[in-house]
Coordinates of all heavy atoms in Angstrom, one line a residue:
R1 N 0.8 -1.3 0.0 CA 0.0 0.0 0.0 C 0.9 1.3 0.0 O 0.6 2.3 -0.8 CB -0.9 0.0 1.2 CG -1.8 1.2 1.3 CD -2.8 1.2 2.5 NE -1.9 1.1 3.7 CZ -1.1 2.1 4.2 NH1 -1.1 3.2 3.6 NH2 -0.4 1.8 5.3
E2 N 1.9 1.2 0.8 CA 2.7 2.5 0.8 C 3.4 2.7 -0.4 O 3.5 3.9 -1.0 CB 3.9 2.2 1.9 CG 4.9 3.4 2.2 CD 4.1 4.6 2.7 OE1 3.1 4.6 3.2 OE2 4.6 5.8 2.6
G3 N 3.9 1.6 -1.2 CA 4.5 1.8 -2.5 C 3.4 2.3 -3.5 O 3.8 3.3 -4.3
L4 N 2.2 1.9 -3.5 CA 1.2 2.4 -4.4 C 0.9 3.9 -4.0 O 0.6 4.6 -5.0 CB -0.1 1.5 -4.2 CG 0.1 0.0 -4.8 CD1 -1.0 -0.6 -4.3 CD2 0.1 0.1 -6.4
F5 N 1.0 4.2 -2.7 CA 0.6 5.6 -2.4 C 1.6 6.6 -3.0 O 1.3 7.4 -3.7 CB 0.6 5.6 -0.9 CG 0.7 7.1 -0.4 CD1 -0.5 7.9 -0.6 CD2 1.7 7.6 0.4 CE1 -0.3 9.3 -0.1 CE2 1.7 8.7 0.9 CZ 0.8 9.7 0.6
K6 N 2.9 6.3 -2.8 CA 4.1 7.0 -3.4 C 4.0 7.2 -4.8 O 4.3 8.1 -5.4 CB 5.4 6.5 -2.8 CG 5.5 6.7 -1.2 CD 6.9 6.2 -0.9 CE 7.1 6.6 0.6 NZ 8.4 6.0 1.2
S7 N 3.8 6.0 -5.5 CA 3.8 6.0 -6.8 C 2.6 6.7 -7.4 O 2.7 7.4 -8.4 CB 3.6 4.5 -7.4 OG 3.5 4.4 -8.8
S8 N 1.4 6.6 -6.8 CA 0.2 7.4 -7.3 C 0.5 8.9 -7.2 O -0.1 9.7 -7.9 CB -1.0 6.9 -6.5 OG -1.0 7.1 -5.1
Q9 N 1.1 9.4 -6.1 CA 1.5 10.8 -5.9 C 2.2 11.3 -7.2 O 2.0 12.3 -7.8 CB 2.2 10.9 -4.7 CG 1.4 11.0 -3.3 CD 2.3 11.4 -2.1 OE1 3.3 10.8 -2.0 NE2 1.8 12.3 -1.4
Q10 N 3.3 10.5 -7.6 CA 4.2 10.9 -8.7 C 3.3 10.8 -10.0 O 3.5 11.7 -10.9 CB 5.3 10.0 -8.7 CG 6.3 10.2 -7.6 CD 6.8 11.6 -7.4 OE1 7.2 12.3 -8.3 NE2 6.8 12.1 -6.2
E11 N 2.5 9.9 -10.2 CA 1.7 9.7 -11.3 C 0.8 10.9 -11.5 O 0.4 11.4 -12.6 CB 0.9 8.4 -11.4 CG 2.0 7.2 -11.5 CD 1.2 5.8 -11.3 OE1 0.0 5.8 -11.2 OE2 2.0 4.8 -11.0
M12 N 0.0 11.4 -10.4 CA -0.7 12.5 -10.5 C 0.0 13.7 -10.8 O -0.5 14.6 -11.6 CB -1.5 12.7 -9.0 CG -2.7 12.0 -9.0 SD -3.8 12.1 -10.4 CE -4.1 13.9 -10.4
K13 N 1.2 13.9 -10.4 CA 2.0 15.1 -10.8 C 2.3 15.1 -12.2 O 2.2 16.2 -13.0 CB 3.2 15.2 -10.1 CG 3.2 15.6 -8.5 CD 4.5 15.7 -8.0 CE 4.5 16.2 -6.6 NZ 5.8 16.4 -5.8
V14 N 2.5 13.9 -12.8 CA 2.8 13.8 -14.3 C 1.4 14.3 -15.1 O 1.5 15.0 -16.1 CB 3.1 12.4 -14.7 CG1 3.0 12.2 -16.3 CG2 4.5 12.0 -14.1
I15 N 0.3 13.8 -14.6 CA -1.0 14.1 -15.1 C -1.3 15.6 -15.1 O -1.6 16.2 -16.1 CB -2.2 13.3 -14.5 CG1 -2.2 11.9 -14.7 CG2 -3.5 14.0 -14.9 CD1 -3.2 11.0 -14.1
W16 N -1.0 16.2 -13.9 CA -1.2 17.8 -13.8 C -0.3 18.4 -14.8 O -0.8 19.4 -15.5 CB -0.9 18.2 -12.4 CG -2.0 17.8 -11.3 CD1 -1.7 17.2 -10.1 CD2 -3.4 17.9 -11.5 NE1 -3.0 16.9 -9.4 CE2 -4.0 17.4 -10.4 CE3 -4.2 18.3 -12.4 CZ2 -5.3 17.3 -10.1 CZ3 -5.5 18.3 -12.3 CH2 -6.1 17.8 -11.0
E17 N 1.0 18.1 -14.9 CA 1.9 18.6 -15.7 C 1.4 18.5 -17.2 O 1.5 19.3 -18.1 CB 3.4 18.2 -15.6 CG 4.0 18.5 -14.3 CD 5.2 17.8 -14.0 OE1 5.6 16.9 -14.8 OE2 6.0 18.2 -13.0
R18 N 0.8 17.3 -17.5 CA 0.5 16.9 -18.9 C -0.7 17.9 -19.2 O -0.8 18.3 -20.5 CB 0.0 15.4 -18.9 CG -0.3 15.0 -20.2 CD -0.4 13.4 -20.2 NE -0.7 12.9 -21.6 CZ -0.7 11.7 -21.9 NH1 -0.4 10.8 -20.8 NH2 -1.0 11.1 -23.0
V19 N -1.6 18.1 -18.5 CA -2.8 19.0 -18.8 C -2.6 20.5 -18.4 O -3.5 21.3 -18.5 CB -4.1 18.4 -18.1 CG1 -4.3 17.0 -18.5 CG2 -3.9 18.5 -16.6
G20 N -1.5 20.8 -18.0 CA -1.3 22.3 -17.7 C -1.6 22.8 -16.3 O -1.9 24.0 -16.1
G21 N -1.8 21.8 -15.4 CA -2.1 22.2 -14.0 C -0.9 22.7 -13.3 O 0.2 22.5 -13.7
T22 N -1.1 23.4 -12.0 CA -0.1 23.8 -11.3 C 0.3 22.8 -10.3 O -0.4 22.2 -9.7 CB -0.6 25.1 -10.5 OG1 -1.0 26.1 -11.4 CG2 0.5 25.6 -9.5
V23 N 1.6 22.4 -10.4 CA 2.2 21.5 -9.5 C 3.1 22.1 -8.3 O 3.9 22.9 -8.7 CB 3.0 20.5 -10.2 CG1 3.6 19.5 -9.2 CG2 2.3 19.8 -11.3
F24 N 2.7 21.9 -7.1 CA 3.4 22.5 -6.0 C 4.4 21.4 -5.6 O 4.2 20.4 -5.3 CB 2.5 22.8 -4.8 CG 1.5 23.9 -5.1 CD1 0.3 23.6 -5.6 CD2 1.8 25.1 -4.7 CE1 -0.7 24.6 -5.9 CE2 0.9 26.3 -5.0 CZ -0.3 25.8 -5.5
E25 N 5.7 22.0 -5.8 CA 6.9 21.1 -5.5 C 7.4 21.2 -4.1 O 8.0 20.2 -3.6 CB 8.0 21.4 -6.5 CG 7.8 21.3 -8.0 CD 7.6 19.7 -8.3 OE1 7.8 19.0 -7.4 OE2 7.1 19.6 -9.4
D26 N 7.1 22.2 -3.4 CA 7.6 22.5 -1.9 C 6.8 21.4 -1.0 O 5.8 21.0 -1.4 CB 7.3 23.9 -1.5 CG 6.0 24.3 -1.6 OD1 5.2 24.0 -2.6 OD2 5.4 24.9 -0.6

């Protein structure tokens, strides 16, 4: 579950970047 959680966080950042959403890196 922890691995899926961390992976899904990164995958969502890719989606936001792909569609032009704002990604908070801090």
Side-chain angles (χ1 to χ4, degrees):
R1 182 184 52 75
E2 181 67 19
L4 290 167
F5 167 65
K6 292 180 179 178
S7 179
S8 61
Q9 282 185 311
Q10 294 303 312
E11 290 170 15
M12 270 310 304
K13 286 187 177 181
V14 172
I15 290 177
W16 290 131
E17 291 171 348
R18 185 172 183 169
V19 299
T22 299
V23 178
F24 292 88
E25 299 293 348
D26 58 317

